[in-house]
């Protein structure tokens, strides 16, 4: 394979005439983190609510919660993105649909909502499973046990990775910027190597941050708490 490696490509000016290719990737990283951050807020809030409702003794509430989870968890995220971005503006009243189409950064808002709802169904399942796994008398007390958060950490990382799907509706996040870079410069390996490294760094930072949070909120004498050594 006769491929011309060019790692200095990141210093060259991108087609926008303002930023270097490295700067455009960092801008894409910002959009990735912003989209994932707002989507995670929606996912955690709605997912926790729906997950708790699915553990109540009210059958109709449980059924509504189950329907919500099955709907958003079983429809592919890509399809949901398309439905929110392309279909919704056509089925709502015309004035509202026109407003949606002309909304600045519409792809960003669509990605946040679609990704947030999709991930909320997964969080709801985690909350429900975690709650029901406790003996009945310990469910409320479990809030103070200092338990670890491996499942929620995993879902947060999935939210960040799934944000890449938003490139299909025009959001210029990290993966989209890397793709644009390789299309304009033809340096495909350099572009996606840089994107891969950025994603790895993000995952490492998030993982360590969540571990730090677990340690901070852990209650002495319970799971997830390591007592400091004597003399400290």
């Amino acid at each position: 394979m006769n491929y011309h490696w060019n790692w200095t490509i990141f210093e060259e000016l991108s087609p926008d005439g303002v930023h270097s290719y490295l700067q455009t990737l960092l801008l894409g990283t910002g959009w990735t983190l912003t989209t994932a951050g707002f989507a995670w807020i929606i996912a955690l809030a709605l997912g926790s609510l729906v997950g708790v409702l699915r553990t109540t003794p009210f059958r109709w509430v449980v059924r509504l919660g189950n329907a919500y989870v099955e709907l958003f968890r079983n429809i592919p995220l890509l399809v949901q993105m398309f439905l929110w971005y392309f279909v919704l503006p056509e089925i709502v009243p015309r004035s509202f649909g026109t407003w949606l189409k002309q909304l600045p950064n519409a792809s960003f808002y669509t990605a946040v909502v679609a990704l947030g709802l999709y991930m909320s169904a997964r969080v709801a399942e985690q909350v429900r499973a975690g709650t029901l796994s406790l003996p009945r008398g310990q469910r409320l007390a479990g809030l103070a046990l200092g338990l670890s958060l491996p499942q929620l950490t995993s879902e947060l990382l999935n939210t960040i990775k799934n944000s890449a799907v938003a490139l299909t509706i025009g959001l210029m996040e990290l993966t989209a910027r890397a793709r644009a870079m390789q299309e304009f410069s033809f340096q495909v390996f350099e572009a996606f190597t840089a994107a891969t490294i950025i994603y790895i760094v993000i995952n490492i930072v998030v993982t360590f941050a969540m571990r730090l949070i677990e340690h901070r909120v852990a209650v002495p004498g319970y799971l997830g708490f390591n007592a400091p050594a004597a003399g400290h």
Side-chain angles (χ1 to χ4, degrees), residues 34-210:
T34 303
T35 302
F38 281 104
W40 181 244
I41 292 173
I42 295 175
L44 192 58
L46 278 179
S48 298
L49 176 61
V50 174
V52 170
L53 290 177
R54 295 174 71 203
T55 65
T56 64
F58 305 105
R59 284 190 178 181
W60 64 274
V61 173
V62 174
R63 288 174 180 172
L64 284 177
N66 291 342
Y68 177 93
V69 170
E70 294 302 318
L71 175 66
F72 287 105
R73 189 176 62 171
N74 292 320
I75 298 178
L77 177 58
L78 178 60
V79 175
Q80 294 189 42
M81 288 271 186
F82 282 176
L83 289 175
W84 284 101
Y85 191 73
F86 295 109
V87 178
L88 179 63
E90 303 299 331
I91 61 176
V92 296
R94 178 174 298 180
S95 59
F96 184 56
T98 301
W99 176 78
L100 287 176
K101 294 176 184 178
Q102 298 176 349
L103 189 67
N105 296 321
S107 59
F108 166 71
Y109 297 114
T110 301
V112 167
V113 172
L115 183 56
L117 294 178
Y118 176 78
M119 294 305 301
S120 71
R122 296 174 61 91
V123 171
E125 187 63 21
Q126 300 289 351
V127 171
R128 171 187 171 276
T131 303
L132 293 181
S133 66
L134 293 172
R136 184 175 182 180
Q138 294 182 6
R139 291 180 185 176
L140 294 179
L143 296 174
L145 289 179
L147 300 176
S148 59
L149 308 170
Q151 295 297 335
L152 291 183
T153 300
S154 175
E155 296 305 335
L156 175 56
L157 293 176
N158 283 334
T159 303
I160 296 173
K161 290 183 288 186
N162 286 337
S163 65
V165 178
L167 70 87
T168 58
I169 58 173
L171 181 63
M172 295 303 293
E173 44 71 62
L174 177 56
T175 303
R177 301 269 182 168
R179 184 177 180 182
M181 176 181 170
Q182 66 91 15
E183 288 177 348
F184 283 109
S185 68
F186 301 103
Q187 304 297 142
V188 57
F189 291 109
E190 290 86 342
F192 284 101
T193 297
T196 300
I197 292 173
I198 292 173
Y199 275 119
I200 291 174
V201 170
I202 291 173
N203 284 2
I204 292 174
V205 171
V206 169
T207 300
F208 275 96
M210 293 298 284

Side-chain angles (χ1 to χ4, degrees), residues 3 13 39 79 84 111 130 150 220 232:
Y3 181 79
L13 199 63
V79 175
W84 284 101
H232 294 275

